[in-house]
Amino acid sequence: MTVLTEPKRVGAGVFAPRQLLTSLPDALRKLDPRHQVRNPVLFVVWAGSVLVTVFAVADPSVFSVAVAVWLWFTVLFANLAEAVAEGRGKAQAESLRRAKRDTVAQRIVADGSRERVPGADLRVGDLVVVEAGEVIPGDGDVVEGIATVDESAITGESAPVIRESGGDRSAVTGGTTVLSDRIVVRIATKPGESFVDRMIALVEGARRQKTPNEVALTILLATLTIIFLLAVVALQPMSAYSGARQSVTVLTALLVCLIPTTIGALLSAIGIAGMDRLVQRNVLATSGRAVEAAGDVSTLLLDKTGTITFGNRQATELIPIGVTTVHELAVAARLSSLADETPEGRSIVALCAKEHGLLKGATDRERAAKFVPFTAQTRMSGIDLDGRRVRKGAASAVREWVVDQGGLVPDEVRDVVDRIGAEGGTPLVCAEGRIVRGVIRLSDVVKPGMRQRFGELRAMGIKTVMITGDNPLTARAIAEEAGVDDYLADAKPEDKMALIRAEQEGGRLVAMTGDGTNDAPALAQADVGVAMNTGTMAAKEAGNMVDLDSDPTKLIEIVEIGKQLLITRGALTTFSIANDLAKYFAILPAMFAAVYPQLDRLNIMHLHSPDSAILSAVVFNALVIVGLIPLALRGVRYRPAGAQSLLRRNLLVYGLGGIVTPFAGIWLIDLLVRLIPGM
């Protein structure tokens, strides 16, 4: 196993011309026919380049040599696009490799003793002890203890995090450092299969598989190439019959300009760049299929706490019941929360101290009392002090406890609880013995801008569903404030699964986030399952993406990245097909104008000669690939909009632009080509 210091990350959205030069050696190596044959479009261009080169050597002329040179440039520039995209990933991987160093693990053997072994010798299921200052030797789960961990080498975040056994924050990543305390970790991955190793393989692009959409587009491009190849082959007998027999050089130039060379050259770079943008946002995708699925998602399942709201519910109001005064309620609420170390419990003590002048800390007498900590089973916390028994917790749990004491719960309690829930708050009932003292209001705040973001998603045709364990009244209030389309209250694992299946049966692709073992079935069922890095290994193995920053709101960014990938591919495909129109006007009149003078009317660019027209089209066909590499890497700018709006923008910008740009480009190149002696 190896360890990392924080690597230098390579910018995703910035394109530097220097990258062209540094990637040139890789582009030259890709001229190998064994590599070219993987891309049918570029293989035809490569074969045409070889053929034209042979004829140029056998019967040299300025025209044939120039066409041969620029056909090779076309193949080279196409390889350069892929090499530049891969080069950025390799730079990231190299920075990770340089930061590695060997580490040794303290493995627990059968008799309970420890042995020191290299991290690379660890196997799945091994238990290792990691103490303060030591590096965690492999990915796994904490099975004993609690510790603060520095994850900056993986996430880039300098603030330490808490990792503990028995919860949803038990997963640890190999290469991170324990800062305090001691933990026992059960190794969950084999050597070479850790998140760091998978990240390196991902950013290198070495194991990137073509996605279904990419495969479908490749088949379409191959079909178009075959059609145009047959058309060009059939053109020679017709040319011979009309007395305008064409050379192999001219026919090859026509074929290269007719087939969709541009998108064929950029297709791989677009896919690699899309994965790169995810990595730059600290999201590890297990496949390109998940990225594409994110672009087609039509339903988003979002957890309420920490995603839609800040998640740090705070006590904001004390509401006394019956004859109890606010001060009496404050005293009881403080006592019941002294043993509650949750953020909510601490906020209750702080509220009582701030607004009612009570002590924040426990007195010596209170420390000697019997504390009743909060548990998920009892859903209450409290204290037994000098015969006083004080409890606070969920309304139903406190109600049962009061009844067991022989007391009665006034109807006013239910009314206050319902009102707080309807207003989006969380009610906690406080009781002392048989008497209900009052209700504590906990408030969670919706993050700013969420309504706007959900509105943008709605405009894109994406349905948002909030998932929460809150009661239906609270869930409805938060849902209305945040602007989500639907909500699922009192959510259990089986409820999430049922909801995902119902959406999928309706033909929708579903994305969701999760971090706990109970989320694993739903993450596996979802088309895009984003597991939090702080979550359990079960959750991370079930999902097809892992967010190293553990930011649930990043799901929205992931969807935007997926859509940007699909939009970029569609835009450049539109541009590639549209710019062939200008090449027709350049080459076809040049080929037959001598036999059919009427075709000269189609020479609307008034190109100098047939040879200069054909060469100008070939040169433009090569240069446009280089010009579009930055756009393929950066991606088309994404704006949330509906399908009709995106299609209209595609046609206006890239369709019309694909028609106009070649006319201007070929005309300008012709002005330079005509200056070449012999042309």
Side-chain angles (χ1 to χ4, degrees):
M1 176 57 198
T2 52
V3 190
L4 301 177
T5 54
E6 186 173 355
K8 179 181 178 182
R9 300 189 182 275
V10 180
V14 180
F15 172 79
R18 186 174 59 182
Q19 290 178 317
L20 293 177
L21 295 177
T22 56
S23 301
L24 189 58
D26 285 337
L28 290 171
R29 282 190 286 269
K30 290 177 183 291
L31 291 176
D32 188 330
R34 290 171 297 182
H35 177 83
Q36 296 299 313
V37 76
R38 302 173 189 172
N39 189 323
V41 178
L42 294 185
F43 181 71
V44 169
V45 180
W46 180 89
S49 303
V50 173
L51 187 62
V52 171
T53 301
V54 171
F55 279 90
V57 172
D59 185 17
S61 67
V62 174
F63 172 71
S64 61
V65 171
V67 170
V69 169
W70 279 99
L71 286 180
W72 281 113
F73 276 147
T74 302
V75 182
L76 180 63
F77 292 161
N79 292 334
L80 191 61
E82 183 177 7
V84 169
E86 291 178 350
R88 297 193 307 172
K90 288 179 180 178
Q92 291 175 325
E94 186 59 29
S95 67
L96 289 171
R97 285 195 178 95
R98 283 198 302 267
K100 285 185 177 181
R101 58 183 175 85
D102 294 333
T103 188
V104 176
Q106 299 184 60
R107 182 167 61 187
I108 301 176
V109 294
D111 61 2
S113 62
R114 305 182 198 175
E115 62 175 352
R116 300 184 68 83
V117 297
D121 292 347
L122 294 175
R123 295 294 180 265
V124 176
D126 284 350
L127 295 177
V128 296
V129 177
V130 189
E131 298 176 334
E134 295 182 343
V135 173
I136 298 173
D139 296 351
D141 288 308
V142 179
V143 295
E144 180 185 322
I146 180 172
T148 55
V149 178
D150 176 10
E151 295 187 341
S152 60
I154 304 298
T155 67
E157 174 58 53
S158 59
V161 295
I162 301 295
R163 293 291 176 265
E164 59 184 327
S165 62
D168 289 343
R169 294 182 176 271
S170 61
V172 290
T173 305
T176 57
T177 304
V178 173
L179 299 179
S180 69
D181 302 293
R182 169 190 176 278
I183 53 175
V184 177
V185 177
R186 177 181 287 114
I187 300 299
T189 58
K190 300 177 182 178
E193 296 183 2
S194 67
F195 280 115
V196 173
D197 295 312
R198 289 163 64 184
M199 181 186 293
I200 291 174
L202 174 68
V203 298
E204 282 185 318
R207 301 179 187 175
R208 194 184 75 88
Q209 301 294 321
K210 286 188 176 182
T211 60
N213 284 348
E214 199 171 345
V215 171
L217 185 54
T218 301
I219 294 173
L220 173 62
L221 298 181
T223 303
L224 291 175
T225 301
I226 294 172
I227 292 173
F228 284 123
L229 178 62
L230 295 175
V232 171
V233 170
L235 192 61
Q236 185 68 312
M238 299 172 58
S239 302
Y241 177 78
S242 63
R245 189 179 184 87
Q246 303 296 323
S247 67
V248 173
T249 300
V250 171
L251 291 174
T252 304
L254 174 64
L255 175 62
V256 171
C257 291
L258 287 179
I259 63 178
T261 314
T262 305
I263 185 60
L266 298 173
L267 187 59
S268 180
I270 294 170
I272 295 173
M275 299 288 284
D276 181 60
R277 283 191 288 274
L278 268 185
V279 173
Q280 289 297 323
R281 287 164 175 80
N282 272 351
V283 177
L284 182 64
T286 58
S287 69
R289 183 189 297 265
V291 185
E292 279 195 352
D296 287 328
V297 159
S298 49
T299 301
L300 278 181
L301 305 185
L302 299 163
D303 186 49
K304 176 184 78 72
T305 305
T307 304
I308 296 175
T309 65
F310 283 108
N312 52 342
R313 294 183 300 180
Q314 302 290 306
T316 55
E317 185 182 7
L318 301 178
I319 305 173
I321 296 294
V323 298
T324 302
T325 65
V326 175
H327 183 75
E328 289 173 336
L329 173 58
V331 171
R334 173 186 169 276
L335 287 174
S336 66
S337 303
L338 287 176
D340 187 354
E341 289 301 320
T342 64
E344 293 86 352
R346 290 194 295 268
S347 73
I348 294 173
V349 175
L351 176 68
C352 295
K354 179 181 178 181
E355 296 191 359
H356 301 281
L358 302 178
L359 291 176
K360 267 193 174 183
T363 64
D364 292 338
R365 175 166 151 269
E366 290 168 342
R367 290 192 191 96
K370 178 184 177 182
F371 288 112
V372 180
F374 177 87
T375 66
Q377 290 74 29
T378 62
R379 296 186 298 162
M380 292 189 305
S381 66
I383 189 173
D384 293 342
L385 175 65
D386 297 337
R388 299 178 63 183
R389 305 185 67 198
V390 185
R391 300 287 187 273
K392 70 103 176 45
S396 57
V398 175
R399 183 182 295 111
E400 293 178 5
W401 183 78
V402 169
V403 171
D404 289 343
Q405 304 298 309
L408 297 175
V409 179
D411 293 339
E412 184 184 356
V413 174
R414 185 181 65 248
D415 296 338
V416 173
V417 167
D418 290 346
R419 175 166 57 83
I420 293 175
E423 293 171 353
T426 300
L428 294 180
V429 176
C430 181
E432 183 175 348
R434 297 183 296 174
I435 303 173
V436 176
R437 292 296 185 186
V439 181
I440 306 165
R441 181 198 295 268
L442 300 179
S443 299
D444 199 356
V445 180
V446 174
K447 294 181 178 179
M450 295 304 294
R451 175 175 286 275
Q452 178 184 355
R453 298 197 74 173
F454 290 142
E456 293 173 351
L457 292 171
R458 193 175 299 108
M460 292 156 40
I462 296 177
K463 176 184 177 183
T464 53
V465 181
M466 182 186 77
I467 301 177
T468 177
D470 289 340
N471 63 71
L473 290 176
T474 302
R476 182 176 64 183
I478 295 293
E480 291 176 353
E481 183 180 352
V484 296
D485 298 311
D486 202 355
Y487 64 91
L488 177 66
D490 293 328
K492 296 183 289 294
E494 53 268 29
D495 298 328
K496 299 176 186 178
M497 285 284 290
L499 176 60
I500 293 173
R501 286 172 176 164
E503 293 290 328
Q504 290 172 333
E505 289 172 0
R508 293 172 171 263
L509 294 185
V510 180
M512 77 160 289
T513 60
D515 59 0
T517 301
N518 62 338
D519 292 323
L523 287 170
Q525 181 69 34
D527 300 283
V528 179
V530 183
M532 300 295 101
N533 191 39
T534 56
T536 61
M537 288 302 299
K540 289 192 279 190
E541 291 298 329
N544 48 27
M545 291 187 186
V546 177
D547 177 16
L548 300 179
D549 292 335
S550 300
D551 177 9
T553 61
K554 199 176 289 185
L555 180 59
I556 299 175
E557 291 184 51
I558 292 171
V559 170
E560 292 176 350
I561 291 172
K563 286 193 173 295
Q564 185 183 34
L565 172 65
L566 298 179
I567 291 170
T568 301
R569 188 180 295 157
L572 292 183
T573 301
T574 303
F575 183 90
S576 176
I577 295 175
N579 71 19
D580 287 340
L581 183 61
K583 301 171 192 174
Y584 305 155
F585 279 92
I587 296 180
L588 293 178
M591 291 175 62
F592 298 104
V595 179
Y596 302 106
Q598 301 90 334
L599 288 177
D600 192 53
R601 297 176 182 175
L602 297 178
N603 186 16
I604 59 178
M605 289 177 280
H606 302 292
L607 302 178
H608 175 63
S609 66
D611 285 354
S612 71
I614 294 171
L615 181 57
S616 298
V618 172
V619 172
F620 175 83
N621 195 61
L623 293 179
V624 75
I625 295 174
V626 180
L628 290 176
I629 289 177
L631 183 61
L633 298 182
R634 185 173 54 248
V636 174
R637 184 178 178 184
Y638 171 74
R639 296 187 184 92
Q644 290 184 345
S645 176
L646 291 175
L647 177 61
R648 185 165 55 250
R649 188 185 74 171
N650 237 15
L651 294 176
L652 288 177
V653 177
Y654 298 97
L656 187 59
I659 295 174
V660 174
T661 303
F663 277 98
I666 292 174
W667 179 77
L668 289 173
I669 294 172
D670 181 73
L671 294 179
L672 299 175
V673 168
R674 67 178 66 180
L675 300 177
I676 300 175
M679 293 296 296

